[in-house]
PDB file of all heavy atoms in Angstrom:
ATOM      1  N   GLY N   1      23.810  67.192  33.431  1.00 98.00           N
ATOM      2  CA  GLY N   1      23.643  67.878  32.156  1.00 98.00           C
ATOM      3  C   GLY N   1      24.728  67.660  31.125  1.00 98.00           C
ATOM      4  O   GLY N   1      24.702  68.310  30.078  1.00 98.00           O
ATOM      5  N   MET N   2      25.681  66.747  31.382  1.00 98.00           N
ATOM      6  CA  MET N   2      26.723  66.465  30.398  1.00 98.00           C
ATOM      7  C   MET N   2      26.159  65.489  29.370  1.00 98.00           C
ATOM      8  O   MET N   2      26.005  64.305  29.643  1.00 98.00           O
ATOM      9  CB  MET N   2      27.965  65.894  31.085  1.00 98.00           C
ATOM     10  CG  MET N   2      28.562  66.796  32.149  1.00 98.00           C
ATOM     11  SD  MET N   2      28.988  68.474  31.588  1.00 98.00           S
ATOM     12  CE  MET N   2      30.104  68.134  30.239  1.00 98.00           C
ATOM     13  N   LEU N   3      25.849  65.978  28.200  1.00 98.00           N
ATOM     14  CA  LEU N   3      25.145  65.166  27.212  1.00 98.00           C
ATOM     15  C   LEU N   3      26.046  64.110  26.586  1.00 98.00           C
ATOM     16  O   LEU N   3      25.673  62.939  26.493  1.00 98.00           O
ATOM     17  CB  LEU N   3      24.571  66.065  26.118  1.00 98.00           C
ATOM     18  CG  LEU N   3      23.664  65.338  25.124  1.00 98.00           C
ATOM     19  CD1 LEU N   3      22.284  65.141  25.716  1.00 98.00           C
ATOM     20  CD2 LEU N   3      23.568  66.102  23.810  1.00 98.00           C
ATOM     21  N   TYR N   4      27.237  64.527  26.134  1.00 98.00           N
ATOM     22  CA  TYR N   4      28.146  63.627  25.418  1.00 98.00           C
ATOM     23  C   TYR N   4      29.211  63.118  26.386  1.00 98.00           C
ATOM     24  O   TYR N   4      30.245  63.752  26.595  1.00 98.00           O
ATOM     25  CB  TYR N   4      28.787  64.353  24.237  1.00 98.00           C
ATOM     26  CG  TYR N   4      27.818  64.710  23.135  1.00 98.00           C
ATOM     27  CD1 TYR N   4      27.296  66.005  23.035  1.00 98.00           C
ATOM     28  CD2 TYR N   4      27.416  63.764  22.211  1.00 98.00           C
ATOM     29  CE1 TYR N   4      26.409  66.340  22.016  1.00 98.00           C
ATOM     30  CE2 TYR N   4      26.518  64.097  21.187  1.00 98.00           C
ATOM     31  CZ  TYR N   4      26.025  65.380  21.102  1.00 98.00           C
ATOM     32  OH  TYR N   4      25.135  65.711  20.098  1.00 98.00           O
ATOM     33  N   TRP N   5      28.942  61.950  26.968  1.00 98.00           N
ATOM     34  CA  TRP N   5      29.840  61.387  27.989  1.00 98.00           C
ATOM     35  C   TRP N   5      30.258  59.980  27.580  1.00 98.00           C
ATOM     36  O   TRP N   5      29.482  59.216  27.001  1.00 98.00           O
ATOM     37  CB  TRP N   5      29.142  61.325  29.347  1.00 98.00           C
ATOM     38  CG  TRP N   5      29.971  60.652  30.408  1.00 98.00           C
ATOM     39  CD1 TRP N   5      30.854  61.242  31.261  1.00 98.00           C
ATOM     40  CD2 TRP N   5      30.026  59.249  30.703  1.00 98.00           C
ATOM     41  NE1 TRP N   5      31.462  60.298  32.068  1.00 98.00           N
ATOM     42  CE2 TRP N   5      30.963  59.062  31.743  1.00 98.00           C
ATOM     43  CE3 TRP N   5      29.380  58.114  30.187  1.00 98.00           C
ATOM     44  CZ2 TRP N   5      31.271  57.797  32.272  1.00 98.00           C
ATOM     45  CZ3 TRP N   5      29.685  56.861  30.709  1.00 98.00           C
ATOM     46  CH2 TRP N   5      30.615  56.714  31.743  1.00 98.00           C
ATOM     47  N   GLY N   6      31.490  59.618  27.937  1.00 98.00           N
ATOM     48  CA  GLY N   6      31.959  58.249  27.741  1.00 98.00           C
ATOM     49  C   GLY N   6      33.121  57.949  28.650  1.00 98.00           C
ATOM     50  O   GLY N   6      33.539  58.781  29.466  1.00 98.00           O
ATOM     51  N   TRP N   7      33.659  56.745  28.534  1.00 98.00           N
ATOM     52  CA  TRP N   7      34.825  56.366  29.342  1.00 98.00           C
ATOM     53  C   TRP N   7      35.709  55.455  28.514  1.00 98.00           C
ATOM     54  O   TRP N   7      35.321  55.008  27.427  1.00 98.00           O
ATOM     55  CB  TRP N   7      34.385  55.714  30.652  1.00 98.00           C
ATOM     56  CG  TRP N   7      34.183  54.219  30.648  1.00 98.00           C
ATOM     57  CD1 TRP N   7      35.046  53.283  31.145  1.00 98.00           C
ATOM     58  CD2 TRP N   7      33.065  53.471  30.133  1.00 98.00           C
ATOM     59  NE1 TRP N   7      34.523  52.020  30.977  1.00 98.00           N
ATOM     60  CE2 TRP N   7      33.317  52.111  30.369  1.00 98.00           C
ATOM     61  CE3 TRP N   7      31.876  53.833  29.490  1.00 98.00           C
ATOM     62  CZ2 TRP N   7      32.421  51.098  29.982  1.00 98.00           C
ATOM     63  CZ3 TRP N   7      30.983  52.833  29.109  1.00 98.00           C
ATOM     64  CH2 TRP N   7      31.256  51.499  29.357  1.00 98.00           C
ATOM     65  N   ASP N   8      36.921  55.199  28.970  1.00 98.00           N
ATOM     66  CA  ASP N   8      37.840  54.298  28.281  1.00 98.00           C
ATOM     67  C   ASP N   8      37.333  52.868  28.476  1.00 98.00           C
ATOM     68  O   ASP N   8      37.398  52.324  29.585  1.00 98.00           O
ATOM     69  CB  ASP N   8      39.254  54.425  28.845  1.00 98.00           C
ATOM     70  CG  ASP N   8      39.875  55.792  28.591  1.00 98.00           C
ATOM     71  OD1 ASP N   8      39.449  56.468  27.643  1.00 98.00           O
ATOM     72  OD2 ASP N   8      40.787  56.171  29.342  1.00 98.00           O
ATOM     73  N   ILE N   9      36.832  52.271  27.423  1.00 98.00           N
ATOM     74  CA  ILE N   9      36.219  50.952  27.517  1.00 98.00           C
ATOM     75  C   ILE N   9      37.169  49.965  28.195  1.00 98.00           C
ATOM     76  O   ILE N   9      38.312  49.788  27.763  1.00 98.00           O
ATOM     77  CB  ILE N   9      35.832  50.444  26.117  1.00 98.00           C
ATOM     78  CG1 ILE N   9      34.692  51.297  25.549  1.00 98.00           C
ATOM     79  CG2 ILE N   9      35.438  48.971  26.153  1.00 98.00           C
ATOM     80  CD1 ILE N   9      34.389  51.015  24.094  1.00 98.00           C
ATOM     81  N   ALA N  10      36.702  49.377  29.290  1.00 98.00           N
ATOM     82  CA  ALA N  10      37.458  48.379  30.055  1.00 98.00           C
ATOM     83  C   ALA N  10      38.740  48.936  30.660  1.00 98.00           C
ATOM     84  O   ALA N  10      39.622  48.184  31.057  1.00 98.00           O
ATOM     85  CB  ALA N  10      37.769  47.150  29.201  1.00 98.00           C
ATOM     86  N   GLY N  11      38.848  50.263  30.771  1.00 98.00           N
ATOM     87  CA  GLY N  11      40.027  50.883  31.380  1.00 98.00           C
ATOM     88  C   GLY N  11      41.169  51.017  30.396  1.00 98.00           C
ATOM     89  O   GLY N  11      41.245  50.315  29.385  1.00 98.00           O
ATOM     90  N   PHE N  12      42.099  51.933  30.699  1.00 96.00           N
ATOM     91  CA  PHE N  12      43.194  52.184  29.752  1.00 96.00           C
ATOM     92  C   PHE N  12      44.568  51.873  30.330  1.00 96.00           C
ATOM     93  O   PHE N  12      45.564  51.898  29.618  1.00 96.00           O
ATOM     94  CB  PHE N  12      43.135  53.641  29.276  1.00 96.00           C
ATOM     95  CG  PHE N  12      44.038  54.619  30.000  1.00 96.00           C
ATOM     96  CD1 PHE N  12      44.907  55.426  29.298  1.00 96.00           C
ATOM     97  CD2 PHE N  12      44.033  54.733  31.386  1.00 96.00           C
ATOM     98  CE1 PHE N  12      45.739  56.339  29.939  1.00 96.00           C
ATOM     99  CE2 PHE N  12      44.851  55.631  32.031  1.00 96.00           C
ATOM    100  CZ  PHE N  12      45.716  56.442  31.309  1.00 96.00           C
ATOM    101  N   SER N  13      44.650  51.546  31.632  1.00 96.00           N
ATOM    102  CA  SER N  13      45.949  51.474  32.298  1.00 96.00           C
ATOM    103  C   SER N  13      46.214  50.079  32.844  1.00 96.00           C
ATOM    104  O   SER N  13      45.301  49.365  33.260  1.00 96.00           O
ATOM    105  CB  SER N  13      45.994  52.483  33.453  1.00 96.00           C
ATOM    106  OG  SER N  13      47.257  52.472  34.085  1.00 96.00           O
ATOM    107  N   GLY N  14      47.502  49.736  32.862  1.00 95.00           N
ATOM    108  CA  GLY N  14      47.912  48.460  33.438  1.00 95.00           C
ATOM    109  C   GLY N  14      47.780  47.330  32.438  1.00 95.00           C
ATOM    110  O   GLY N  14      47.682  47.528  31.222  1.00 95.00           O
ATOM    111  N   GLU N  15      47.785  46.114  32.953  1.00 96.00           N
ATOM    112  CA  GLU N  15      47.649  44.938  32.105  1.00 96.00           C
ATOM    113  C   GLU N  15      46.299  44.972  31.399  1.00 96.00           C
ATOM    114  O   GLU N  15      45.338  45.561  31.880  1.00 96.00           O
ATOM    115  CB  GLU N  15      47.781  43.669  32.950  1.00 96.00           C
ATOM    116  CG  GLU N  15      47.858  42.372  32.153  1.00 96.00           C
ATOM    117  CD  GLU N  15      48.845  42.421  30.997  1.00 96.00           C
ATOM    118  OE1 GLU N  15      50.040  42.191  31.226  1.00 96.00           O
ATOM    119  OE2 GLU N  15      48.395  42.706  29.861  1.00 96.00           O
ATOM    120  N   ILE N  16      46.257  44.346  30.239  1.00 98.00           N
ATOM    121  CA  ILE N  16      45.025  44.371  29.454  1.00 98.00           C
ATOM    122  C   ILE N  16      43.888  43.703  30.218  1.00 98.00           C
ATOM    123  O   ILE N  16      44.100  42.857  31.073  1.00 98.00           O
ATOM    124  CB  ILE N  16      45.220  43.682  28.088  1.00 98.00           C
ATOM    125  CG1 ILE N  16      45.611  42.217  28.280  1.00 98.00           C
ATOM    126  CG2 ILE N  16      46.231  44.434  27.246  1.00 98.00           C
ATOM    127  CD1 ILE N  16      45.556  41.411  27.000  1.00 98.00           C
ATOM    128  N   PRO N  17      42.653  44.090  29.904  1.00 98.00           N
ATOM    129  CA  PRO N  17      41.514  43.448  30.555  1.00 98.00           C
ATOM    130  C   PRO N  17      41.329  42.013  30.075  1.00 98.00           C
ATOM    131  O   PRO N  17      41.793  41.633  28.993  1.00 98.00           O
ATOM    132  CB  PRO N  17      40.337  44.324  30.121  1.00 98.00           C
ATOM    133  CG  PRO N  17      40.764  44.926  28.829  1.00 98.00           C
ATOM    134  CD  PRO N  17      42.244  45.141  28.958  1.00 98.00           C
ATOM    135  N   THR N  18      40.636  41.246  30.879  1.00 98.00           N
ATOM    136  CA  THR N  18      40.264  39.901  30.447  1.00 98.00           C
ATOM    137  C   THR N  18      39.252  40.000  29.313  1.00 98.00           C
ATOM    138  O   THR N  18      38.579  41.031  29.154  1.00 98.00           O
ATOM    139  CB  THR N  18      39.630  39.120  31.599  1.00 98.00           C
ATOM    140  OG1 THR N  18      38.397  39.763  31.978  1.00 98.00           O
ATOM    141  CG2 THR N  18      40.562  39.052  32.808  1.00 98.00           C
ATOM    142  N   PRO N  19      39.117  38.940  28.511  1.00 98.00           N
ATOM    143  CA  PRO N  19      38.087  38.980  27.467  1.00 98.00           C
ATOM    144  C   PRO N  19      36.698  39.260  28.030  1.00 98.00           C
ATOM    145  O   PRO N  19      35.910  39.989  27.413  1.00 98.00           O
ATOM    146  CB  PRO N  19      38.174  37.593  26.837  1.00 98.00           C
ATOM    147  CG  PRO N  19      39.564  37.130  27.102  1.00 98.00           C
ATOM    148  CD  PRO N  19      39.923  37.701  28.445  1.00 98.00           C
ATOM    149  N   GLU N  20      36.385  38.705  29.191  1.00 98.00           N
ATOM    150  CA  GLU N  20      35.072  38.930  29.774  1.00 98.00           C
ATOM    151  C   GLU N  20      34.857  40.400  30.110  1.00 98.00           C
ATOM    152  O   GLU N  20      33.825  40.990  29.748  1.00 98.00           O
ATOM    153  CB  GLU N  20      34.887  38.074  31.025  1.00 98.00           C
ATOM    154  CG  GLU N  20      33.519  38.248  31.664  1.00 98.00           C
ATOM    155  CD  GLU N  20      33.382  37.501  32.978  1.00 98.00           C
ATOM    156  OE1 GLU N  20      34.396  36.966  33.490  1.00 98.00           O
ATOM    157  OE2 GLU N  20      32.253  37.478  33.520  1.00 98.00           O
ATOM    158  N   LEU N  21      35.814  41.024  30.804  1.00 98.00           N
ATOM    159  CA  LEU N  21      35.674  42.435  31.154  1.00 98.00           C
ATOM    160  C   LEU N  21      35.623  43.297  29.897  1.00 98.00           C
ATOM    161  O   LEU N  21      34.829  44.243  29.802  1.00 98.00           O
ATOM    162  CB  LEU N  21      36.835  42.870  32.056  1.00 98.00           C
ATOM    163  CG  LEU N  21      36.899  44.362  32.399  1.00 98.00           C
ATOM    164  CD1 LEU N  21      35.625  44.829  33.083  1.00 98.00           C
ATOM    165  CD2 LEU N  21      38.120  44.646  33.292  1.00 98.00           C
ATOM    166  N   TYR N  22      36.456  42.967  28.917  1.00 98.00           N
ATOM    167  CA  TYR N  22      36.502  43.754  27.683  1.00 98.00           C
ATOM    168  C   TYR N  22      35.152  43.719  26.966  1.00 98.00           C
ATOM    169  O   TYR N  22      34.617  44.763  26.555  1.00 98.00           O
ATOM    170  CB  TYR N  22      37.600  43.200  26.778  1.00 98.00           C
ATOM    171  CG  TYR N  22      37.907  44.051  25.568  1.00 98.00           C
ATOM    172  CD1 TYR N  22      38.598  45.251  25.687  1.00 98.00           C
ATOM    173  CD2 TYR N  22      37.526  43.636  24.292  1.00 98.00           C
ATOM    174  CE1 TYR N  22      38.899  46.030  24.571  1.00 98.00           C
ATOM    175  CE2 TYR N  22      37.826  44.392  23.172  1.00 98.00           C
ATOM    176  CZ  TYR N  22      38.512  45.596  23.312  1.00 98.00           C
ATOM    177  OH  TYR N  22      38.810  46.353  22.202  1.00 98.00           O
ATOM    178  N   LEU N  23      34.584  42.530  26.831  1.00 98.00           N
ATOM    179  CA  LEU N  23      33.328  42.417  26.094  1.00 98.00           C
ATOM    180  C   LEU N  23      32.149  42.948  26.892  1.00 98.00           C
ATOM    181  O   LEU N  23      31.235  43.560  26.318  1.00 98.00           O
ATOM    182  CB  LEU N  23      33.101  40.967  25.678  1.00 98.00           C
ATOM    183  CG  LEU N  23      34.085  40.444  24.619  1.00 98.00           C
ATOM    184  CD1 LEU N  23      33.792  38.985  24.283  1.00 98.00           C
ATOM    185  CD2 LEU N  23      34.050  41.295  23.354  1.00 98.00           C
ATOM    186  N   ARG N  24      32.126  42.739  28.205  1.00 98.00           N
ATOM    187  CA  ARG N  24      31.053  43.329  29.011  1.00 98.00           C
ATOM    188  C   ARG N  24      31.106  44.860  28.918  1.00 98.00           C
ATOM    189  O   ARG N  24      30.066  45.520  28.816  1.00 98.00           O
ATOM    190  CB  ARG N  24      31.191  42.896  30.464  1.00 98.00           C
ATOM    191  CG  ARG N  24      30.883  41.436  30.748  1.00 98.00           C
ATOM    192  CD  ARG N  24      29.412  41.135  30.633  1.00 98.00           C
ATOM    193  NE  ARG N  24      29.079  39.825  31.149  1.00 98.00           N
ATOM    194  CZ  ARG N  24      28.114  39.054  30.676  1.00 98.00           C
ATOM    195  NH1 ARG N  24      27.364  39.471  29.656  1.00 98.00           N
ATOM    196  NH2 ARG N  24      27.868  37.869  31.207  1.00 98.00           N
ATOM    197  N   SER N  25      32.297  45.424  28.960  1.00 98.00           N
ATOM    198  CA  SER N  25      32.434  46.877  28.859  1.00 98.00           C
ATOM    199  C   SER N  25      32.049  47.363  27.472  1.00 98.00           C
ATOM    200  O   SER N  25      31.369  48.390  27.317  1.00 98.00           O
ATOM    201  CB  SER N  25      33.869  47.300  29.180  1.00 98.00           C
ATOM    202  OG  SER N  25      34.231  46.941  30.485  1.00 98.00           O
ATOM    203  N   MET N  26      32.485  46.634  26.441  1.00 98.00           N
ATOM    204  CA  MET N  26      32.141  47.012  25.070  1.00 98.00           C
ATOM    205  C   MET N  26      30.634  46.974  24.869  1.00 98.00           C
ATOM    206  O   MET N  26      30.044  47.883  24.248  1.00 98.00           O
ATOM    207  CB  MET N  26      32.831  46.064  24.089  1.00 98.00           C
ATOM    208  CG  MET N  26      32.714  46.453  22.635  1.00 98.00           C
ATOM    209  SD  MET N  26      33.702  47.909  22.159  1.00 98.00           S
ATOM    210  CE  MET N  26      35.384  47.272  22.286  1.00 98.00           C
ATOM    211  N   ALA N  27      29.983  45.954  25.434  1.00 98.00           N
ATOM    212  CA  ALA N  27      28.534  45.828  25.294  1.00 98.00           C
ATOM    213  C   ALA N  27      27.809  46.984  25.969  1.00 98.00           C
ATOM    214  O   ALA N  27      26.811  47.508  25.447  1.00 98.00           O
ATOM    215  CB  ALA N  27      28.077  44.494  25.885  1.00 98.00           C
ATOM    216  N   ALA N  28      28.298  47.407  27.145  1.00 98.00           N
ATOM    217  CA  ALA N  28      27.686  48.548  27.832  1.00 98.00           C
ATOM    218  C   ALA N  28      27.968  49.848  27.091  1.00 98.00           C
ATOM    219  O   ALA N  28      27.087  50.713  26.957  1.00 98.00           O
ATOM    220  CB  ALA N  28      28.200  48.629  29.263  1.00 98.00           C
ATOM    221  N   ALA N  29      29.196  49.995  26.578  1.00 98.00           N
ATOM    222  CA  ALA N  29      29.590  51.241  25.911  1.00 98.00           C
ATOM    223  C   ALA N  29      28.799  51.481  24.632  1.00 98.00           C
ATOM    224  O   ALA N  29      28.671  52.624  24.184  1.00 98.00           O
ATOM    225  CB  ALA N  29      31.081  51.219  25.604  1.00 98.00           C
ATOM    226  N   ALA N  30      28.252  50.432  24.047  1.00 98.00           N
ATOM    227  CA  ALA N  30      27.426  50.612  22.857  1.00 98.00           C
ATOM    228  C   ALA N  30      26.179  51.429  23.161  1.00 98.00           C
ATOM    229  O   ALA N  30      25.532  51.944  22.240  1.00 98.00           O
ATOM    230  CB  ALA N  30      27.033  49.251  22.288  1.00 98.00           C
ATOM    231  N   PHE N  31      25.868  51.568  24.456  1.00 99.00           N
ATOM    232  CA  PHE N  31      24.652  52.265  24.865  1.00 99.00           C
ATOM    233  C   PHE N  31      24.949  53.440  25.790  1.00 99.00           C
ATOM    234  O   PHE N  31      24.175  53.750  26.681  1.00 99.00           O
ATOM    235  CB  PHE N  31      23.684  51.270  25.511  1.00 99.00           C
ATOM    236  CG  PHE N  31      23.247  50.199  24.561  1.00 99.00           C
ATOM    237  CD1 PHE N  31      23.882  48.969  24.551  1.00 99.00           C
ATOM    238  CD2 PHE N  31      22.241  50.441  23.642  1.00 99.00           C
ATOM    239  CE1 PHE N  31      23.505  47.981  23.658  1.00 99.00           C
ATOM    240  CE2 PHE N  31      21.848  49.459  22.741  1.00 99.00           C
ATOM    241  CZ  PHE N  31      22.486  48.218  22.749  1.00 99.00           C
ATOM    242  N   VAL N  32      26.092  54.093  25.566  1.00 98.00           N
ATOM    243  CA  VAL N  32      26.364  55.386  26.184  1.00 98.00           C
ATOM    244  C   VAL N  32      26.675  56.369  25.051  1.00 98.00           C
ATOM    245  O   VAL N  32      26.974  55.955  23.927  1.00 98.00           O
ATOM    246  CB  VAL N  32      27.529  55.328  27.204  1.00 98.00           C
ATOM    247  CG1 VAL N  32      27.253  54.294  28.279  1.00 98.00           C
ATOM    248  CG2 VAL N  32      28.854  55.061  26.531  1.00 98.00           C
ATOM    249  N   PRO N  33      26.594  57.658  25.300  1.00 98.00           N
ATOM    250  CA  PRO N  33      26.749  58.618  24.194  1.00 98.00           C
ATOM    251  C   PRO N  33      28.085  58.545  23.461  1.00 98.00           C
ATOM    252  O   PRO N  33      28.126  58.658  22.235  1.00 98.00           O
ATOM    253  CB  PRO N  33      26.561  59.969  24.892  1.00 98.00           C
ATOM    254  CG  PRO N  33      25.657  59.656  26.054  1.00 98.00           C
ATOM    255  CD  PRO N  33      26.095  58.310  26.528  1.00 98.00           C
ATOM    256  N   ILE N  34      29.199  58.399  24.185  1.00 98.00           N
ATOM    257  CA  ILE N  34      30.519  58.310  23.563  1.00 98.00           C
ATOM    258  C   ILE N  34      31.058  56.899  23.783  1.00 98.00           C
ATOM    259  O   ILE N  34      31.210  56.448  24.921  1.00 98.00           O
ATOM    260  CB  ILE N  34      31.498  59.338  24.159  1.00 98.00           C
ATOM    261  CG1 ILE N  34      30.994  60.771  23.931  1.00 98.00           C
ATOM    262  CG2 ILE N  34      32.896  59.155  23.562  1.00 98.00           C
ATOM    263  CD1 ILE N  34      30.982  61.225  22.490  1.00 98.00           C
ATOM    264  N   MET N  35      31.347  56.202  22.701  1.00 99.00           N
ATOM    265  CA  MET N  35      31.866  54.826  22.742  1.00 99.00           C
ATOM    266  C   MET N  35      33.311  54.865  22.274  1.00 99.00           C
ATOM    267  O   MET N  35      33.576  55.049  21.089  1.00 99.00           O
ATOM    268  CB  MET N  35      31.023  53.931  21.835  1.00 99.00           C
ATOM    269  CG  MET N  35      31.418  52.472  21.829  1.00 99.00           C
ATOM    270  SD  MET N  35      30.455  51.541  20.597  1.00 99.00           S
ATOM    271  CE  MET N  35      30.940  49.866  21.006  1.00 99.00           C
ATOM    272  N   GLN N  36      34.261  54.703  23.204  1.00 98.00           N
ATOM    273  CA  GLN N  36      35.664  54.842  22.796  1.00 98.00           C
ATOM    274  C   GLN N  36      36.581  53.957  23.618  1.00 98.00           C
ATOM    275  O   GLN N  36      36.374  53.735  24.809  1.00 98.00           O
ATOM    276  CB  GLN N  36      36.113  56.303  22.894  1.00 98.00           C
ATOM    277  CG  GLN N  36      36.159  56.879  24.295  1.00 98.00           C
ATOM    278  CD  GLN N  36      37.573  57.066  24.839  1.00 98.00           C
ATOM    279  OE1 GLN N  36      38.533  57.183  24.088  1.00 98.00           O
ATOM    280  NE2 GLN N  36      37.697  57.091  26.157  1.00 98.00           N
ATOM    281  N   TYR N  37      37.607  53.422  22.924  1.00 98.00           N
ATOM    282  CA  TYR N  37      38.653  52.682  23.634  1.00 98.00           C
ATOM    283  C   TYR N  37      39.963  53.456  23.537  1.00 98.00           C
ATOM    284  O   TYR N  37      40.203  54.217  22.599  1.00 98.00           O
ATOM    285  CB  TYR N  37      38.803  51.250  23.107  1.00 98.00           C
ATOM    286  CG  TYR N  37      39.376  51.105  21.703  1.00 98.00           C
ATOM    287  CD1 TYR N  37      40.749  51.216  21.457  1.00 98.00           C
ATOM    288  CD2 TYR N  37      38.553  50.810  20.618  1.00 98.00           C
ATOM    289  CE1 TYR N  37      41.277  51.070  20.193  1.00 98.00           C
ATOM    290  CE2 TYR N  37      39.066  50.656  19.338  1.00 98.00           C
ATOM    291  CZ  TYR N  37      40.433  50.785  19.132  1.00 98.00           C
ATOM    292  OH  TYR N  37      40.964  50.647  17.867  1.00 98.00           O
ATOM    293  N   HIS N  38      40.824  53.238  24.523  1.00 98.00           N
ATOM    294  CA  HIS N  38      42.090  53.978  24.601  1.00 98.00           C
ATOM    295  C   HIS N  38      43.044  53.179  25.476  1.00 98.00           C
ATOM    296  O   HIS N  38      42.620  52.382  26.323  1.00 98.00           O
ATOM    297  CB  HIS N  38      41.850  55.365  25.199  1.00 98.00           C
ATOM    298  CG  HIS N  38      43.087  56.197  25.346  1.00 98.00           C
ATOM    299  ND1 HIS N  38      43.970  56.409  24.311  1.00 98.00           N
ATOM    300  CD2 HIS N  38      43.595  56.873  26.408  1.00 98.00           C
ATOM    301  CE1 HIS N  38      44.962  57.178  24.723  1.00 98.00           C
ATOM    302  NE2 HIS N  38      44.760  57.473  25.989  1.00 98.00           N
ATOM    303  N   SER N  39      44.339  53.380  25.289  1.00 97.00           N
ATOM    304  CA  SER N  39      45.335  52.687  26.113  1.00 97.00           C
ATOM    305  C   SER N  39      46.476  53.615  26.467  1.00 97.00           C
ATOM    306  O   SER N  39      46.817  54.540  25.720  1.00 97.00           O
ATOM    307  CB  SER N  39      45.876  51.457  25.384  1.00 97.00           C
ATOM    308  OG  SER N  39      46.387  51.806  24.106  1.00 97.00           O
TER     309      SER N  39
END
């Protein structure tokens, strides 16, 4: 029942994600209720 849900796109901790992981995550996040990146 949590309507407005999201996650830190491609993770927020450690070394930066690879371009592939970043874009795959960004593409998926476009289709979840909350689309957000954080570090």
